[in-house]
Amino acid sequence: MEKLFGTFGIRRVANDVLTPEMATELALSFGTFTQGGMIAVGRDARKHSEMLYHAVVAGLLSVGCRVMELGVTATPALQWACRQWNAWGAMVTASHNPPQWNGIKFMEQSGKGLDRDKEKEVEDLYFKKSFCRVSWENIPQETEKRDIRFDYIRAIMERVDGRAIREGRFRVVLDCANGAPALITPYLLSELGCRVVSLNAHPDGRFPGRNPEPTPENLVDLTTLIRHGDFALGLAQDGDGDRLIVITEKGEFVPGDWSVSLVARELSMKPHPGPIVTTVATTHMLQDIAEQHGRTVVITAVGDLVVAKALMEKGGIFGCEENGGMIFPDFVWGRDGAMAAAYLLHVMAKYEKPLSEILQSLPLRYQVKTKITVDPEKKDKILAHIERITAQEKNRLTIDGYKVILDDGSWVLVRPSGTEPLVRLFAEAREKEKATHLVQKYLEIIQSV
Ligand code: MG
């Protein structure tokens, strides 16, 4: 049987594979699984999101679910609403994927993405077409329409030192990727007293400004603007607002590993005893920070859903990923770009120094990341070889791929892609040259097979 769900929800090409019919059937399956109940439904700003959104709402009503319509919103805002009102969630979004893609992310009543075993149940219902449609008199007559944007913004503001941030009078450039965050984050920053210049801030599913994935290549306009202006900070989000990328006042791209470490250090000073939860591909700066503050780090496989689940189970204080994804467990059980932006300003206001200087006070490590395309027929052979040679290493982790940790704390991770004929390589060391050397060494090993 075909597998429906990826790392978080379903992603397909819209109106080709992911048609309104498919979206309705997915909603029928999800609504059958939740056995009615309240479902918060939202969408990002893609061209076909409105079409799929109505299909989802129709499917949910058909199986007797009550629907809370949030309209265009960011994924974390919807997750926040689920937790707030104990509602299940369905978000029409393809996050940072190219414009022709769309998808649906389903949430539990905590706001966390649906667990694997529950996804499996939804998947079974979908393929068996066993939907519990209700009789006509049990179809809810109306949906409940809510604009939660400003409730969500207020809830974020309660979690940071608003007065200190306002006193900082930060000039911030925010690149909204023409996505749903354009309706939220610029207003949040204004409420926090920032002077905001927003780029690509009109929601437009053609993504005229840039590709919605916040990579350095896609953020040239943002970094150029910062280099030629007088700004304290640059921020960039992806299409559905769960990720945040940070640019210093000098226009330098801040690696996700560094921005999450900055926030982790700040949260580590709190009396809360919980661990930091992160993936096997994320920086060991977190281990340094945790050690300094007498806490532990829980390591998971790659994927924000896995981090959120472990965070919940372990009672963690903070969850994060190497790509800059941050999870604040007292707020939203998923990555939250707007909350991350506010918290970063909170840190900057506290230290009263330029961001580039604050970053220098971290126990810095340097990351090198690359990927290599491999012949799909040779992928298993390559991995078997990596398995063999890394088995001799004293300190090896095999949670997700093969990670070798050396005595000085530098490490390398070889991780096959689950969906593409690719092997990803991550390395980290206190000196950039060493990280480069580690990646190079394993690239050569792969090429030699
Ligand atoms: Mg996203």
Side-chain angles (χ1 to χ4, degrees):
M1 199 162 28
E2 190 204 350
K3 197 173 169 300
L4 218 44
F5 290 90
T7 47
F8 192 167
I10 293 142
R11 303 266 173 94
R12 297 288 188 277
V13 174
N15 230 18
D16 175 19
V17 183
L18 184 51
T19 56
E21 293 88 329
M22 183 180 183
T24 302
E25 291 199 344
L26 286 166
L28 290 167
S29 313
F30 183 57
T32 299
F33 166 76
T34 66
Q35 301 179 337
M38 174 69 90
I39 319 242
V41 187
R43 64 177 189 268
D44 68 12
R46 283 169 191 269
K47 273 193 81 77
H48 22 72
S49 289
E50 173 139 4
M51 172 186 82
L52 296 171
Y53 173 89
H54 291 297
V56 168
V57 171
L60 292 173
L61 292 172
S62 175
V63 287
C65 293
R66 285 172 296 135
V67 172
M68 189 197 296
E69 281 195 66
L70 306 185
V72 178
T73 195
T75 298
L78 178 124
Q79 291 179 280
W80 174 81
C82 290
R83 184 164 169 177
Q84 199 68 15
W85 291 292
N86 201 35
W88 299 87
M91 177 76 190
V92 176
T93 179
S95 187
H96 61 272
N97 288 141
Q100 65 274 30
W101 285 76
N102 216 320
I104 307 177
K105 291 178 174 177
F106 292 120
M107 322 293 171
E108 299 181 6
Q109 285 158 304
S110 61
K112 186 178 73 57
L114 210 56
D115 269 352
R116 286 274 173 267
D117 50 338
K118 294 178 185 137
E119 273 183 357
K120 186 81 187 59
E121 286 183 50
V122 175
E123 204 168 74
D124 287 346
L125 292 166
Y126 175 84
F127 286 117
K128 288 183 191 145
K129 310 280 175 226
S130 53
F131 312 131
C132 293
R133 290 187 199 266
V134 295
S135 64
W136 68 269
E137 61 278 52
N138 291 322
I139 300 169
Q141 175 141 349
E142 286 180 356
T143 62
E144 181 189 335
K145 295 180 179 67
R146 259 187 205 237
D147 183 350
I148 59 157
R149 288 182 298 152
F150 290 93
D151 296 323
Y152 169 71
I153 287 173
R154 270 191 293 276
I156 291 179
M157 290 173 65
E158 284 167 14
R159 286 169 171 77
V160 292
D161 186 346
R163 208 178 66 177
I165 298 173
R166 260 179 229 106
E167 280 171 9
R169 292 183 52 76
F170 296 107
R171 277 173 60 89
V172 182
V173 195
L174 170 71
D175 184 335
C176 304
N178 297 111
L183 301 177
I184 295 173
T185 320
Y187 299 97
L188 165 69
L189 299 179
S190 287
E191 290 289 327
L192 288 169
C194 298
R195 285 167 290 165
V196 190
V197 173
S198 36
L199 287 183
N200 304 318
H202 62 290
D204 185 336
R206 293 165 295 189
F207 297 113
R210 66 163 167 97
N211 178 297
E213 185 163 18
T215 57
E217 312 78 67
N218 293 334
L219 300 179
V220 175
D221 289 348
L222 175 60
T223 47
T224 308
L225 186 59
I226 294 178
R227 285 200 190 113
H228 291 89
D230 178 20
F231 296 102
L233 177 69
L235 299 168
Q237 295 203 260
D238 70 332
D240 69 332
D242 56 351
R243 273 174 60 192
L244 183 81
I245 282 296
V246 181
I247 312 290
T248 69
E249 78 285 354
K250 296 177 180 168
E252 299 154 331
F253 187 92
V254 179
D257 283 306
W258 292 17
S259 53
V260 303
S261 295
L262 191 59
V263 171
R265 183 176 68 178
E266 211 51 39
L267 289 169
S268 285
M269 295 173 194
K270 296 202 170 201
H272 183 299
I276 296 166
V277 180
T278 193
T279 75
V280 72
T282 315
T283 178
H284 279 214
M285 286 159 65
L286 295 170
Q287 274 81 344
D288 301 335
I289 289 164
E291 205 171 299
Q292 273 168 14
H293 294 90
R295 61 179 83 233
T296 54
V297 178
V298 171
I299 308 286
T300 70
V302 170
D304 51 322
L305 214 54
V306 196
V307 175
K309 187 172 158 61
L311 199 55
M312 198 179 242
E313 286 169 358
K314 309 279 182 192
I317 186 166
F318 181 55
C320 57
E321 294 176 302
E322 51 83 31
N323 60 16
M326 301 191 204
I327 308 178
F328 298 83
D330 65 339
F331 187 53
V332 166
W333 288 114
R335 300 186 298 201
D336 190 329
M339 180 66 223
Y343 206 80
L344 206 74
L345 287 163
H346 171 96
V347 174
M348 287 172 64
K350 177 177 164 188
Y351 291 95
E352 297 182 336
K353 279 184 193 161
L355 179 62
S356 61
E357 276 181 42
I358 305 174
L359 288 168
Q360 288 304 317
S361 67
L362 287 170
L364 291 180
R365 289 172 184 262
Y366 296 86
Q367 296 82 27
V368 175
K369 299 168 191 180
T370 190
K371 56 191 174 191
I372 176 171
T373 308
V374 296
D375 181 347
E377 285 171 15
K378 284 195 183 146
K379 200 165 166 184
D380 287 343
K381 196 176 162 201
I382 291 168
L383 293 174
H385 185 64
I386 298 285
E387 151 70 35
R388 234 180 356 261
I389 56 163
T390 55
Q392 303 148 9
E393 300 284 347
K394 193 165 63 182
N395 198 353
R396 183 181 78 155
L397 277 182
T398 53
I399 298 170
D400 189 351
Y402 300 93
K403 182 174 185 174
V404 172
I405 306 160
L406 306 177
D407 285 341
D408 66 354
S410 52
W411 56 267
V412 60
L413 170 69
V414 182
R415 196 177 155 263
S417 160
T419 50
E420 296 166 283
L422 282 179
V423 173
R424 294 180 200 281
L425 289 154
F426 300 72
E428 185 187 62
R430 294 245 186 247
E431 307 80 31
K432 185 133 200 171
E433 299 71 40
K434 175 144 194 196
T436 309
H437 171 76
L438 280 169
V439 159
Q440 200 54 39
K441 179 179 158 189
Y442 278 85
L443 266 180
E444 281 164 21
I445 291 171
I446 292 170
Q447 281 158 346
S448 73
V449 177

